[in-house]
mmCIF file of all heavy atoms in Angstrom:
data_model
loop_
_atom_site.group_PDB
_atom_site.id
_atom_site.type_symbol
_atom_site.label_atom_id
_atom_site.label_comp_id
_atom_site.label_asym_id
_atom_site.label_seq_id
_atom_site.Cartn_x
_atom_site.Cartn_y
_atom_site.Cartn_z
ATOM 1 N N SER U 21 102.000 89.012 93.450
ATOM 2 C CA SER U 21 100.991 89.100 92.501
ATOM 3 C C SER U 21 101.410 89.823 91.241
ATOM 4 O O SER U 21 101.115 89.395 90.112
ATOM 5 C CB SER U 21 99.849 90.004 93.115
ATOM 6 O OG SER U 21 98.790 90.258 92.307
ATOM 7 N N VAL U 22 102.191 90.911 91.458
ATOM 8 C CA VAL U 22 102.708 91.675 90.296
ATOM 9 C C VAL U 22 103.547 90.711 89.390
ATOM 10 O O VAL U 22 103.450 90.699 88.182
ATOM 11 C CB VAL U 22 103.531 92.919 90.752
ATOM 12 C CG1 VAL U 22 104.302 93.479 89.584
ATOM 13 C CG2 VAL U 22 102.577 93.921 91.331
ATOM 14 N N VAL U 23 104.575 89.891 90.054
ATOM 15 C CA VAL U 23 105.354 89.107 89.263
ATOM 16 C C VAL U 23 104.640 88.026 88.572
ATOM 17 O O VAL U 23 104.869 87.816 87.348
ATOM 18 C CB VAL U 23 106.421 88.463 90.253
ATOM 19 C CG1 VAL U 23 107.199 87.351 89.538
ATOM 20 C CG2 VAL U 23 107.370 89.528 90.830
ATOM 21 N N ARG U 24 103.609 87.350 89.219
ATOM 22 C CA ARG U 24 102.921 86.271 88.561
ATOM 23 C C ARG U 24 102.073 86.960 87.383
ATOM 24 O O ARG U 24 102.034 86.374 86.254
ATOM 25 C CB ARG U 24 101.918 85.632 89.571
ATOM 26 C CG ARG U 24 102.760 84.730 90.568
ATOM 27 C CD ARG U 24 101.821 83.830 91.235
ATOM 28 N NE ARG U 24 101.378 82.843 90.450
ATOM 29 C CZ ARG U 24 101.770 81.457 90.580
ATOM 30 N NH1 ARG U 24 102.663 81.109 91.568
ATOM 31 N NH2 ARG U 24 101.230 80.491 89.790
ATOM 32 N N ALA U 25 101.392 87.934 87.662
ATOM 33 C CA ALA U 25 100.524 88.606 86.554
ATOM 34 C C ALA U 25 101.355 89.030 85.504
ATOM 35 O O ALA U 25 101.062 88.891 84.256
ATOM 36 C CB ALA U 25 99.667 89.767 87.143
ATOM 37 N N ALA U 26 102.441 89.776 85.733
ATOM 38 C CA ALA U 26 103.252 90.257 84.619
ATOM 39 C C ALA U 26 103.895 89.180 83.823
ATOM 40 O O ALA U 26 103.976 89.258 82.622
ATOM 41 C CB ALA U 26 104.305 91.152 85.298
ATOM 42 N N THR U 27 104.437 88.149 84.456
ATOM 43 C CA THR U 27 105.135 87.083 83.713
ATOM 44 C C THR U 27 104.184 86.132 83.025
ATOM 45 O O THR U 27 104.358 85.956 81.875
ATOM 46 C CB THR U 27 106.070 86.306 84.543
ATOM 47 O OG1 THR U 27 105.373 85.874 85.667
ATOM 48 C CG2 THR U 27 107.201 87.223 85.128
ATOM 49 N N THR U 28 103.025 85.753 83.743
ATOM 50 C CA THR U 28 102.126 84.866 83.177
ATOM 51 C C THR U 28 101.256 85.374 82.165
ATOM 52 O O THR U 28 101.127 84.863 81.155
ATOM 53 C CB THR U 28 101.501 84.082 84.363
ATOM 54 O OG1 THR U 28 102.324 83.918 85.346
ATOM 55 C CG2 THR U 28 100.716 82.906 83.815
ATOM 56 N N HIS U 29 100.584 86.490 82.589
ATOM 57 C CA HIS U 29 99.602 87.152 81.635
ATOM 58 C C HIS U 29 100.296 87.820 80.345
ATOM 59 O O HIS U 29 99.743 87.898 79.360
ATOM 60 C CB HIS U 29 98.685 88.146 82.295
ATOM 61 C CG HIS U 29 97.753 87.501 83.100
ATOM 62 N ND1 HIS U 29 97.395 86.240 83.294
ATOM 63 C CD2 HIS U 29 96.928 88.205 84.100
ATOM 64 C CE1 HIS U 29 96.432 85.991 84.108
ATOM 65 N NE2 HIS U 29 96.116 87.249 84.733
ATOM 66 N N TYR U 30 101.304 88.565 80.720
ATOM 67 C CA TYR U 30 101.900 89.479 79.694
ATOM 68 C C TYR U 30 103.323 89.123 79.161
ATOM 69 O O TYR U 30 103.828 89.676 78.304
ATOM 70 C CB TYR U 30 101.969 90.914 80.264
ATOM 71 C CG TYR U 30 100.673 91.562 80.533
ATOM 72 C CD1 TYR U 30 100.225 91.431 81.940
ATOM 73 C CD2 TYR U 30 99.843 92.131 79.705
ATOM 74 C CE1 TYR U 30 98.953 92.031 82.317
ATOM 75 C CE2 TYR U 30 98.758 92.677 79.997
ATOM 76 C CZ TYR U 30 98.266 92.691 81.363
ATOM 77 O OH TYR U 30 96.996 93.228 81.613
ATOM 78 N N GLY U 31 103.839 88.109 79.752
ATOM 79 C CA GLY U 31 105.204 87.789 79.227
ATOM 80 C C GLY U 31 106.303 88.836 79.601
ATOM 81 O O GLY U 31 107.244 88.934 78.888
ATOM 82 N N SER U 32 105.957 89.619 80.580
ATOM 83 C CA SER U 32 106.850 90.755 80.880
ATOM 84 C C SER U 32 107.926 90.269 81.980
ATOM 85 O O SER U 32 107.860 89.189 82.484
ATOM 86 C CB SER U 32 105.968 91.909 81.485
ATOM 87 O OG SER U 32 105.151 92.458 80.484
ATOM 88 N N GLU U 33 108.820 91.218 82.285
ATOM 89 C CA GLU U 33 109.802 90.892 83.333
ATOM 90 C C GLU U 33 109.670 91.873 84.385
ATOM 91 O O GLU U 33 109.148 92.950 84.158
ATOM 92 C CB GLU U 33 111.188 91.158 82.664
ATOM 93 C CG GLU U 33 111.697 90.137 81.592
ATOM 94 C CD GLU U 33 113.089 90.549 80.999
ATOM 95 O OE1 GLU U 33 113.604 91.585 81.471
ATOM 96 O OE2 GLU U 33 113.395 89.928 80.079
ATOM 97 N N VAL U 34 110.114 91.492 85.638
ATOM 98 C CA VAL U 34 109.980 92.297 86.745
ATOM 99 C C VAL U 34 111.332 92.482 87.473
ATOM 100 O O VAL U 34 112.076 91.359 87.752
ATOM 101 C CB VAL U 34 108.968 91.802 87.738
ATOM 102 C CG1 VAL U 34 108.843 92.738 88.928
ATOM 103 C CG2 VAL U 34 107.683 91.574 87.053
ATOM 104 N N LEU U 35 111.774 93.692 87.719
ATOM 105 C CA LEU U 35 113.046 93.903 88.384
ATOM 106 C C LEU U 35 112.718 94.615 89.712
ATOM 107 O O LEU U 35 111.893 95.555 89.882
ATOM 108 C CB LEU U 35 113.825 94.948 87.586
ATOM 109 C CG LEU U 35 115.249 95.156 88.143
ATOM 110 C CD1 LEU U 35 116.102 93.875 87.988
ATOM 111 C CD2 LEU U 35 115.931 96.268 87.323
ATOM 112 N N GLY U 36 113.162 94.032 90.885
ATOM 113 C CA GLY U 36 112.949 94.486 92.110
ATOM 114 C C GLY U 36 114.096 95.444 92.599
ATOM 115 O O GLY U 36 115.208 95.204 92.262
ATOM 116 N N PHE U 37 113.716 96.632 93.204
ATOM 117 C CA PHE U 37 114.715 97.531 93.793
ATOM 118 C C PHE U 37 114.723 97.203 95.259
ATOM 119 O O PHE U 37 113.789 97.145 95.924
ATOM 120 C CB PHE U 37 114.369 98.920 93.475
ATOM 121 C CG PHE U 37 114.661 99.235 91.933
ATOM 122 C CD1 PHE U 37 113.562 99.251 91.097
ATOM 123 C CD2 PHE U 37 115.936 99.583 91.484
ATOM 124 C CE1 PHE U 37 113.764 99.492 89.713
ATOM 125 C CE2 PHE U 37 116.173 99.901 90.129
ATOM 126 C CZ PHE U 37 114.990 99.814 89.236
ATOM 127 N N ARG U 38 115.929 97.129 95.816
ATOM 128 C CA ARG U 38 116.125 96.746 97.150
ATOM 129 C C ARG U 38 115.906 97.993 98.098
ATOM 130 O O ARG U 38 116.357 99.060 97.739
ATOM 131 C CB ARG U 38 117.434 96.087 97.382
ATOM 132 C CG ARG U 38 117.784 95.004 96.530
ATOM 133 C CD ARG U 38 118.236 93.744 97.243
ATOM 134 N NE ARG U 38 117.701 93.508 98.640
ATOM 135 C CZ ARG U 38 116.787 92.577 98.865
ATOM 136 N NH1 ARG U 38 116.495 91.640 97.986
ATOM 137 N NH2 ARG U 38 116.395 92.465 100.113
ATOM 138 N N ASP U 39 115.345 97.780 99.242
ATOM 139 C CA ASP U 39 115.277 98.737 100.379
ATOM 140 C C ASP U 39 114.662 100.081 99.840
ATOM 141 O O ASP U 39 115.135 101.159 100.132
ATOM 142 C CB ASP U 39 116.678 99.043 100.905
ATOM 143 C CG ASP U 39 117.291 97.769 101.434
ATOM 144 O OD1 ASP U 39 116.518 96.913 101.885
ATOM 145 O OD2 ASP U 39 118.524 97.691 101.399
ATOM 146 N N GLY U 40 113.560 99.937 99.171
ATOM 147 C CA GLY U 40 112.671 101.122 98.714
ATOM 148 C C GLY U 40 113.545 102.089 97.812
ATOM 149 O O GLY U 40 114.286 101.667 96.978
ATOM 150 N N TRP U 41 113.209 103.418 97.959
ATOM 151 C CA TRP U 41 113.786 104.341 97.072
ATOM 152 C C TRP U 41 115.304 104.420 97.288
ATOM 153 O O TRP U 41 115.983 104.701 96.245
ATOM 154 C CB TRP U 41 113.319 105.834 97.481
ATOM 155 C CG TRP U 41 111.853 105.965 97.222
ATOM 156 C CD1 TRP U 41 110.906 106.134 98.326
ATOM 157 C CD2 TRP U 41 111.080 105.927 96.045
ATOM 158 N NE1 TRP U 41 109.680 106.152 97.700
ATOM 159 C CE2 TRP U 41 109.719 105.983 96.282
ATOM 160 C CE3 TRP U 41 111.504 105.720 94.694
ATOM 161 C CZ2 TRP U 41 108.740 106.163 95.373
ATOM 162 C CZ3 TRP U 41 110.485 105.780 93.745
ATOM 163 C CH2 TRP U 41 109.154 105.964 94.124
#
Side-chain angles (χ1 to χ4, degrees):
S21 174
V22 168
V23 170
R24 289 191 75 111
T27 55
T28 315
H29 285 350
Y30 295 100
S32 293
E33 291 175 3
V34 184
L35 186 68
F37 289 94
R38 309 231 30 117
D39 305 331
W41 298 111

